[in-house]
Amino acid sequence: MTPKTKKAAAVFLLIAALLLPSCTGGDTVTTSTGPETDKITETEQITETETEKETETEAETEPEPAYDNAHAYIFAQNDKKSSWVSQGADVSFEFGYLRMVPTNHDPMIFCTFADEERFDSQEYPYAAYRYSVKSKFTQGVFFVCSEDHPSFSDDGLTWVNLNNSGKWVNTVTDMRKNAFWEGTVTAFRIDPINGGELDKNAVIYLDRIGFFKTEEDAEAFLADAKEPDYSQSVSFSSGFAKAVVPGGVLSDGYNSADYLLAAETPAEIKDGVTPIVGIKTESGVEPVPVSYVNSVGFISYSAEQPGEYVLYYPDTPVNNDTDFVKVRGIMTDGELSSDTLTLKQAVNILKKTLTSADSDAEKWAKEYGIPYTDDIITPPDVSEAVGAYLTHLGISPYTDPDRKLKEYTDNQNIALCSGIVTDTDGHRISGNEFASIVVRLIKAMLGQPTLQSNVQNNAGITVGVWAQFPFKVTDETIKTLSECGVSLLVDLGDIEQQDTLVTALNSASKYGVSVLRYNYSPAKFNPSKPDKIPSSCYEYYDYDSYLGNIVYDEPGTDKFSRIASLKEYYNNALPGKLCYFNLLPMYANAAQLKYGAGAANIAYYDSDPDLYKNYVEEFAQTVDQDYLCVDIYPYRSSGKSKNTYKEYLKNMDIFAAACREYGRDFWLYIQSTDYDGGKWTPDYDDIRWQMYIGLSFGVKTFIHYQYSWGNYYTFIKDGEPTEIYYAAQKANKEILSLSDVCAEYKNLGAFNLNCEKTKFDYAKFYNQYKDFKVLTDVTSSDPLLFGCFEKTDGDGYAFTVVNMNNINTKKQSASLTFTLDGYDSVCIYRAGEKEKLACDNGVYSLELEPAEGVFITVD
């Protein structure tokens, strides 16, 4: 197909989308400049250049592979149950490959195999690996886990000698020399580069890894690899600029440099005028209709042809949708002021929006049999067109089966649920209304938000989860998460690649979920020469659901001053986004408190409370932020029994005291899954007990660890909710029922009762609050925890009571009586319900179930 024919076919798809709902096509792939495509083969030369497809028809059915496919993984199209998880790298898909840019010294990708995909090491001894690495390092590493060796360690590694030139390399390795390659193989890890330090300039492409019975099968697997796929839309990153190149024009020989923006980035926003993208022509600079500059100057545009692209400022400020389409020459004043538009006008406008080809819209309409009439265009017409076009691009933002309108087609529902078309009742569309549709369509094409976010700032209680998802995340994934009561998503894992990331952020906006991303975590921050913030942080800045970035997890005091500088740098670059840190628990040892979690394995050490107190206070004094966050996991398993961390409430108290002293909100990770491979599954009591204890110490944000992770038994397993999900959902909704009332109070401190015995060590702490005059007499023989609160504005108090009997042994209820001094309006909140608390001659009585907590207000 010639370039001209190819462009005409692409344009036909754009215009046909207006009226032909069956128009579909491949997924959109967005990438950065790819590696060299020369290949070196350590086994044999593997592929020939893929011939250009002659038609845009349906893809032929894939033939059966010429090798045993049982344990073969292609990263960009994994069809197995086992998921590959990456760490230490900014991950995306590019040209049909997995692309990794290291963010710390140890980038990796690993897989814990599903039960049915584990294999006998001696039956499958050959590992076939295809990669492209551009790095200063010359070695990589394979790590192995087996049933006899369940953890990755240096005893089970195999070195890989790299060709680090950026050329494609095939290698087949006989793994039988690896000490852990015995019995059943349960997990495999690839460190594509290994040099002990961050290589900031490294770029890694991974195509495939597979395990085979014979070398012949391994080589056939590598020989099945394909060339980079330029037939899909691709993009090139340069600073904060992204050029989307539709129609597969790269296969016609154009160079990526043709599309790089000739402007200093980030773009300046001067005098209220938004800069726009233009292309130089013989007659001057012409605006590129499909272009957008967001609020921090990230530029994205659709490049229809090679040439010199520039950033310039129009004479007219672009303050609204009408300005947007006028300045770009998409719509005329007459079209904008029209009360109604016709199908003919709509085709003309979309033609000017989506293509720069010379032929006019009427000619195209006649050539392809598209109606080109003066019939009035209506919301269903536009919805059908927009939905079909989004489907063609592989974009389906905001899709939600529960919001589907029965009287509309699938394409119309996509457009309506996406917010690109918002009017479902009107009988005609005016010029101004169509201008807004055009702008929202362009933003959706370029990966920008179209709907206003539902994410709200919650002054009371927030529930979050730490989650590392597999590669594919759908709208239903985020919906299921939100239905658990979750409004904070920490760590996206492997969905940081662009197409899935858009789905996650779009759906998070819809369901009221804020997202903390883990794609910027510099290992060695130098204030005078900071590590560059990934461009995708700027690209998706305008999504309200993008809350910020996880920057350091469990640092030591040696990094506190650098963290303060890093936070200042981050806040200047991404104003309004959260630069997030999480501190160590008290069971970290002295080396970890100084040098970070990586200084040793986290375990339950004999803690020095003063050392830990100084650690927390030094961070609060050095790093200025609104919250302090820590993970304290109280449960440890031994066989089928559970033990409770003996310093649990001491840790809670020290952290809570620092939050009160320095005016910080208390954020707490709670243990909500069998994350370390014990023999128990957390239940409702395990989860709610931690939450009520946290509430007693003033916790504002609870984060479950963890929601999803590889093949661990977590909230979600094989895409389906587990009993942990439903237990957490029940506990979440119970604690969230207190959110509004808790927002009215501030925490004063806590005290316990009847916790002197050794068996209640976990409930002991030093800083008992003794000035809570509301309670005049408490009588009980059971161990109890009280959290004390007073109203932020006005007169009034509140307190929690938690049954502190050990839920890991024999579950026991608790009872108490109490009196109040001068208060007669008493309400109790328990199990999500509010009621007046009755008294008998001034004495109140309570029975608490095992693990139960209540919140009581007095006025």
Side-chain angles (χ1 to χ4, degrees):
M1 184 181 291
T2 66
K4 183 176 180 180
T5 306
K6 216 171 188 186
K7 182 171 291 185
V11 171
F12 165 67
L13 288 172
L14 306 185
I15 300 303
L18 181 63
L19 296 171
L20 301 180
S22 62
C23 175
T24 59
D27 292 339
T28 300
V29 174
T30 56
T31 68
S32 303
T33 305
E36 299 177 46
T37 56
D38 296 340
K39 297 180 292 296
I40 292 178
T41 306
E42 295 178 7
T43 55
E44 64 178 29
Q45 198 71 21
I46 60 171
T47 67
E48 297 178 1
T49 303
E50 187 181 33
T51 58
E52 182 176 329
K53 293 185 177 72
E54 292 298 326
T55 66
E56 302 283 346
T57 57
E58 296 182 8
E60 295 181 2
T61 303
E62 288 290 331
E64 289 294 325
Y67 51 84
D68 179 355
N69 191 38
H71 307 291
Y73 297 88
I74 300 173
F75 294 111
Q77 55 184 54
N78 185 13
D79 59 354
K80 303 293 194 297
K81 287 190 175 181
S82 303
S83 298
W84 290 81
V85 178
S86 67
Q87 286 185 0
D90 190 3
V91 176
S92 61
F93 281 131
E94 204 167 277
F95 305 120
Y97 304 127
L98 181 72
R99 180 178 188 260
M100 302 175 69
V101 176
T103 56
N104 67 30
H105 70 286
D106 194 18
M108 66 180 72
I109 181 167
F110 58 91
C111 179
T112 302
F113 298 120
D115 291 345
E116 61 268 42
E117 292 178 14
R118 297 180 177 186
F119 55 89
D120 183 88
S121 59
Q122 301 310 303
E123 187 177 3
Y124 288 87
Y126 297 103
Y129 176 45
R130 184 171 187 258
Y131 69 89
S132 164
V133 168
K134 210 163 193 178
S135 173
K136 64 183 180 181
F137 300 126
T138 59
Q139 285 190 314
V141 181
F142 292 158
F143 287 93
V144 178
C145 287
S146 62
E147 288 182 342
D148 295 333
H149 304 285
S151 300
F152 294 123
S153 73
D154 289 347
D155 294 331
L157 64 79
T158 295
W159 290 102
V160 178
N161 293 321
L162 297 180
N163 181 306
N164 61 358
S165 65
K167 298 178 180 180
W168 279 103
V169 178
N170 292 344
T171 180
V172 176
T173 303
D174 187 337
M175 295 298 298
R176 284 174 289 197
K177 295 180 181 180
N178 187 296
F180 285 10
W181 198 264
E182 56 185 29
T184 300
V185 176
T186 59
F188 197 83
R189 171 177 144 190
I190 305 169
D191 291 13
I193 58 175
N194 188 290
E197 63 184 53
L198 173 64
D199 183 354
K200 299 179 182 179
N201 299 315
V203 179
I204 301 159
Y205 288 86
L206 301 182
D207 177 21
R208 55 188 59 204
I209 181 80
F211 308 96
F212 301 95
K213 296 178 180 180
T214 65
E215 284 190 80
E216 290 75 18
D217 262 11
E219 292 170 356
F221 171 64
L222 296 174
D224 196 42
K226 294 179 173 59
E227 293 289 339
D229 184 2
Y230 297 128
S231 66
Q232 302 177 20
S233 298
V234 296
S235 67
F236 302 98
S237 297
S238 176
F240 301 148
K242 181 183 76 171
V244 179
V245 186
V249 291
L250 286 182
S251 60
D252 296 325
Y254 300 133
N255 189 283
S256 65
D258 293 331
Y259 304 99
L260 296 182
L261 196 68
E264 184 176 351
T265 56
E268 295 181 2
I269 311 297
K270 62 180 183 181
D271 299 327
V273 180
T274 302
I276 65 174
V277 177
I279 182 171
K280 287 188 175 180
T281 67
E282 293 180 358
S283 57
V285 176
E286 294 183 359
V288 175
V290 185
S291 59
Y292 183 75
V293 181
N294 73 7
S295 55
V296 287
F298 186 92
I299 308 153
S300 48
Y301 59 100
S302 179
E304 277 277 313
Q305 55 190 318
E308 185 176 354
Y309 287 82
V310 296
L311 191 69
Y312 73 101
Y313 293 87
D315 296 332
T316 304
V318 179
N319 298 319
N320 52 48
D321 292 344
T322 300
D323 296 334
F324 187 100
V325 296
K326 280 183 65 176
V327 167
R328 288 160 174 78
I330 297 170
M331 294 180 70
T332 65
D333 286 328
E335 290 167 336
L336 286 165
S337 61
S338 174
D339 290 336
T340 60
L341 287 180
T342 65
L343 286 167
K344 180 186 295 185
Q345 289 173 311
V347 170
N348 287 338
I349 292 165
L350 284 184
K351 175 260 175 183
K352 287 185 287 187
T353 303
L354 304 173
T355 180
S356 58
D358 296 332
S359 301
D360 60 48
E362 184 175 7
K363 179 179 177 181
W364 287 332
K366 289 180 179 178
E367 183 176 352
Y368 296 109
I370 302 172
Y372 188 71
T373 73
D374 291 322
D375 292 343
I376 294 173
I377 193 168
T378 63
D381 293 328
V382 177
S383 301
E384 188 67 56
V386 169
Y389 185 59
L390 292 175
T391 301
H392 163 65
L393 293 178
I395 300 172
S396 57
Y398 297 93
T399 54
D400 181 356
D402 291 343
R403 294 172 56 181
K404 189 171 182 179
L405 303 174
K406 292 182 180 179
E407 63 268 29
Y408 292 101
T409 68
D410 288 343
N411 282 330
Q412 289 168 349
N413 268 286
I414 288 174
L416 293 168
C417 290
S418 73
I420 296 173
V421 179
T422 57
D423 181 7
T424 60
D425 299 321
H427 298 292
R428 61 188 186 185
I429 291 181
S430 69
N432 280 327
E433 290 169 337
F434 197 72
S436 296
I437 291 170
V438 168
V439 173
R440 290 194 291 266
L441 175 59
I442 288 172
K443 290 174 69 176
M445 290 167 58
L446 297 173
Q448 296 297 325
T450 55
L451 273 184
Q452 183 177 0
S453 173
N454 288 329
V455 175
Q456 299 175 355
N457 293 323
N458 191 333
I461 297 171
T462 299
V463 175
V465 291
W466 182 289
Q468 290 223 347
F469 293 111
F471 287 128
K472 192 65 175 178
V473 168
T474 66
D475 181 85
E476 188 67 23
T477 308
I478 306 301
K479 180 185 177 186
T480 301
L481 181 144
S482 71
E483 288 173 345
C484 192
V486 172
S487 59
L488 174 63
L489 173 55
V490 184
D491 191 6
L492 296 172
D494 289 312
I495 64 174
E496 279 291 347
Q497 64 269 21
Q498 193 267 352
D499 56 341
T500 310
L501 177 59
V502 169
T503 298
L505 293 176
N506 278 339
S507 297
S509 293
K510 181 171 64 176
Y511 297 119
V513 176
S514 296
V515 178
L516 279 169
R517 302 170 61 195
Y518 207 172
N519 66 331
Y520 180 59
S521 184
K524 296 180 179 180
F525 177 76
N526 183 349
S528 63
K529 191 178 179 181
D531 289 357
K532 186 179 179 181
I533 294 175
S535 62
S536 67
C537 294
Y538 300 94
E539 182 173 359
Y540 300 106
Y541 179 89
D542 282 352
Y543 279 93
D544 290 344
S545 55
Y546 168 28
L547 179 63
N549 291 78
I550 310 161
V551 180
Y552 265 120
D553 187 41
E554 299 183 331
T557 55
D558 68 321
K559 289 188 172 64
F560 286 179
S561 61
R562 282 183 287 172
I563 283 175
S565 299
L566 172 57
K567 183 175 182 294
E568 182 179 0
Y569 163 68
Y570 179 97
N571 289 347
N572 288 334
L574 297 171
K577 299 301 181 186
L578 183 65
C579 188
Y580 168 86
F581 308 99
N582 176 55
L583 298 181
L584 285 158
M586 194 166 77
Y587 44 80
N589 64 16
Q592 291 167 323
L593 294 178
K594 183 172 182 179
Y595 298 112
N601 291 327
I602 288 285
Y604 286 90
Y605 297 97
D606 293 331
S607 304
D608 181 345
D610 289 335
L611 185 64
Y612 185 72
K613 180 174 181 289
N614 293 337
Y615 166 81
V616 178
E617 290 187 344
E618 184 176 342
F619 185 88
Q621 293 165 359
T622 306
V623 182
D624 182 19
Q625 58 186 19
D626 297 331
Y627 70 95
L628 294 173
C629 184
V630 66
D631 46 2
I632 308 172
Y633 304 138
Y635 306 134
R636 301 304 263 181
S637 59
S638 176
K640 293 185 178 181
S641 64
K642 291 180 289 185
N643 301 310
T644 304
Y645 170 44
K646 291 184 178 181
E647 310 288 327
Y648 184 27
L649 263 60
K650 291 187 180 73
N651 196 161
M652 294 289 297
D653 174 62
I654 289 172
F655 211 84
C659 289
R660 289 192 298 270
E661 180 178 355
Y662 294 96
R664 310 293 171 80
D665 286 345
F666 189 168
W667 290 22
L668 175 69
Y669 280 90
I670 63 173
Q671 186 176 348
S672 304
T673 191
D674 176 18
Y675 74 95
D676 63 348
K679 302 299 183 183
W680 60 279
T681 298
D683 60 19
Y684 165 64
D685 284 345
D686 293 323
I687 294 170
R688 73 162 173 171
W689 194 57
Q690 295 177 81
M691 295 182 111
Y692 275 106
I693 289 172
L695 187 65
S696 301
F697 286 97
V699 171
K700 290 287 190 74
T701 297
F702 296 92
I703 307 173
H704 291 280
Y705 188 84
Q706 51 200 350
Y707 185 82
S708 63
W709 172 261
N711 285 311
Y712 284 112
Y713 194 78
T714 56
F715 285 50
I716 301 293
K717 177 71 172 176
D718 296 329
E720 297 296 329
T722 65
E723 62 261 46
I724 302 178
Y725 174 95
Y726 294 110
Q729 183 185 56
K730 183 178 178 182
N732 291 345
K733 292 188 175 180
E734 181 174 331
I735 210 75
L736 287 170
S737 70
L738 300 170
S739 182
D740 289 343
V741 66
C742 283
E744 301 176 16
Y745 295 86
K746 66 178 180 181
N747 181 260
L748 302 173
F751 67 90
N752 63 20
L753 189 68
N754 301 325
C755 296
E756 296 82 8
K757 295 180 180 180
T758 303
K759 66 179 181 179
F760 300 129
D761 280 350
Y762 58 82
K764 297 175 183 177
F765 58 99
Y766 302 114
N767 188 33
Q768 302 276 322
Y769 185 67
K770 300 178 180 178
D771 296 327
F772 199 59
K773 308 300 184 183
V774 178
L775 286 168
T776 54
D777 185 26
V778 180
T779 304
S780 176
S781 59
D782 295 300
L784 301 170
L785 172 67
F786 293 82
C788 307
F789 299 80
E790 68 176 3
K791 272 198 171 179
T792 305
D793 297 312
D795 184 29
Y797 295 88
F799 60 95
T800 58
V801 189
V802 185
N803 181 351
M804 293 304 293
N805 279 303
N806 195 333
I807 61 173
N808 298 330
T809 55
K810 181 181 177 181
K811 293 191 176 184
Q812 295 177 300
S813 60
S815 61
L816 72 151
T817 62
F818 61 89
T819 59
L820 300 171
D821 184 13
Y823 296 90
D824 56 9
S825 178
V826 183
C827 290
I828 183 170
Y829 297 77
R830 69 187 309 169
E833 301 293 335
K834 173 188 176 182
E835 61 183 52
K836 287 281 187 179
L837 188 61
C839 68
D840 183 8
N841 294 322
V843 178
Y844 298 87
S845 299
L846 271 180
E847 291 286 334
L848 296 175
E849 297 175 354
E852 185 179 16
V854 296
F855 189 84
I856 298 173
T857 61
V858 294
D859 292 294

